[in-house]
């Protein structure tokens, strides 16, 4: 069956360093991928997305990379701040428009 | 973007009872979804709430346990019926606007004793 998973369940970084969160997906038919940030007690918040016809997309301090050959997605956060501490989920969309979520990576930023 | 509110934000319920969760969106949206997030875990799609017709349920979820209403394009309810402690979770309403971007409500934290 299709699945989206994350390589590491937790990540701890020093404030100011760059963070890289990884995600593996198995459904080669997925054509749209999203990264979400979920802070404690809140719903997931959209961060950045990428379509399968792209391999890189940049936002403010965040970059998403897509490698379709190995079915791998990553989220890079530049100059990580304490406010970036949260759980990060990747999700893939099928043609039916439903999102399948990965397991989540907890990012902790140390001051 | 879309602003989503949910009621209640949290509740503690007794086994065997039912709870109805409301989801209100500040604009008309085509697609609304209900997710469950068990403690420390990822999100699992329960169903797609269809306006004017029966919801579409995912494998493992049935209408008798999770009846859903969607009377219009801005509102939906999810009922968790005949609750057991295993139903303790965060229930999240989500919408998709004209683009593929999906927005989430703040969630309803349910504890079943």
């Amino acid at each position: 069956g299709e699945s989206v998973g994350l390589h590491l369940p937790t990540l701890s970084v020093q404030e100011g360093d760059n963070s890289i969160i990884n995600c593996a997906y198995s459904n080669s038919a997925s054509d749209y991928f999203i990264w979400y940030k979920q802070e404690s007690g809140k719903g997931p918040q959209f961060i950045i997305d990428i379509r399968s016809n792209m391999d890189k997309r940049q936002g403010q301090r965040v970059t998403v990379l897509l490698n379709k050959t190995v079915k791998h997605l990553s989220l890079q956060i530049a100059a990580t701040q304490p406010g970036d501490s949260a759980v990060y989920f990747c999700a893939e969309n099928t043609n039916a428009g439903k999102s399948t979520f990965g397991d989540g990576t907890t990012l902790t930023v140390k001051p | 973007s879309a602003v989503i509110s949910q009621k209640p934000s949290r509740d503690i319920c007794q086994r065997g009872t039912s709870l109805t969760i409301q989801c209100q969106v500040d604009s008309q949206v085509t697609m609304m979804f209900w997710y469950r997030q068990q403690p420390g875990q990822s999100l699992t799609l329960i169903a797609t709430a269809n306006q004017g017709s029966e919801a579409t349920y995912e494998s493992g979820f049935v209408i008798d346990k999770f009846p859903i209403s969607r009377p219009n394009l801005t509102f939906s309810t999810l009922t968790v019926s005949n609750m057991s402690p295993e139903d303790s979770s965060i229930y999240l309403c989500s919408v998709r606007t004209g683009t593929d971007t999906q927005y989430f409500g703040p969630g309803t934290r349910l504890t079943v004793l």
Side-chain angles (χ1 to χ4, degrees):
Chain A
E2 61 183 69
S3 66
V4 179
L6 290 162
H7 293 319
L8 297 173
T10 62
L11 176 65
S12 183
V13 300
Q14 205 69 38
E15 181 178 359
D17 287 352
N18 297 333
S19 302
I20 300 176
I21 301 172
N22 295 304
C23 177
Y25 66 95
S26 60
N27 187 351
S28 57
S30 293
D31 60 359
Y32 180 60
F33 304 88
I34 315 102
W35 280 101
Y36 292 93
K37 172 186 180 184
Q38 187 176 26
E39 296 174 287
S40 180
K42 297 183 180 180
Q45 176 186 2
F46 172 91
I47 301 173
I48 192 168
D49 58 2
I50 189 167
R51 297 200 175 273
S52 59
N53 61 352
M54 304 172 67
D55 54 21
K56 180 179 180 179
R57 189 162 189 222
Q58 288 184 293
Q60 186 176 16
R61 283 202 306 119
V62 295
T63 300
V64 55
L65 299 177
L66 175 63
N67 186 329
K68 294 181 289 294
T69 302
V70 295
K71 297 191 184 72
H72 183 268
L73 193 68
S74 70
L75 176 69
Q76 300 178 1
I77 304 174
T80 314
Q81 303 168 359
D84 295 326
S85 293
V87 179
Y88 289 81
F89 294 97
C90 65
E92 59 177 319
N93 273 25
T94 64
N95 290 335
K98 297 181 291 187
S99 291
T100 300
F101 283 77
D103 293 335
T105 291
T106 300
L107 174 65
T108 302
V109 182
K110 296 176 289 186
Chain B
S1 65
V3 178
I4 305 168
S5 60
Q6 286 185 232
K7 289 183 183 179
S9 59
R10 59 177 61 230
D11 207 342
I12 300 173
C13 301
Q14 295 298 319
R15 182 195 300 260
T17 63
S18 298
L19 176 71
T20 295
I21 302 167
Q22 299 179 4
C23 175
Q24 180 73 53
V25 191
D26 69 341
S27 59
Q28 293 185 342
V29 294
T30 51
M31 300 188 79
M32 295 182 76
F33 307 93
W34 286 98
Y35 285 83
R36 180 173 74 182
Q37 186 175 27
Q38 294 180 304
Q41 296 190 25
S42 187
L43 284 75
T44 300
L45 180 64
I46 298 172
T48 301
N50 301 308
Q51 195 268 326
S53 64
E54 196 170 280
T56 304
Y57 290 84
E58 297 299 303
S59 176
F61 297 97
V62 296
I63 188 171
D64 289 346
K65 176 66 175 178
F66 297 102
I68 288 171
S69 77
R70 190 174 173 196
N72 56 52
L73 293 176
T74 64
F75 185 79
S76 178
T77 67
L78 168 75
T79 299
V80 186
S81 303
N82 188 24
M83 289 183 284
S84 67
E86 292 71 34
D87 294 321
S88 297
S89 282
I90 299 171
Y91 292 85
L92 293 148
C93 174
S94 177
V95 305
R96 179 167 290 127
T97 61
T99 66
D100 286 325
T101 305
Q102 196 163 335
Y103 300 93
F104 286 84
T108 296
R109 187 178 296 272
L110 172 61
T111 301
V112 184
L113 303 178

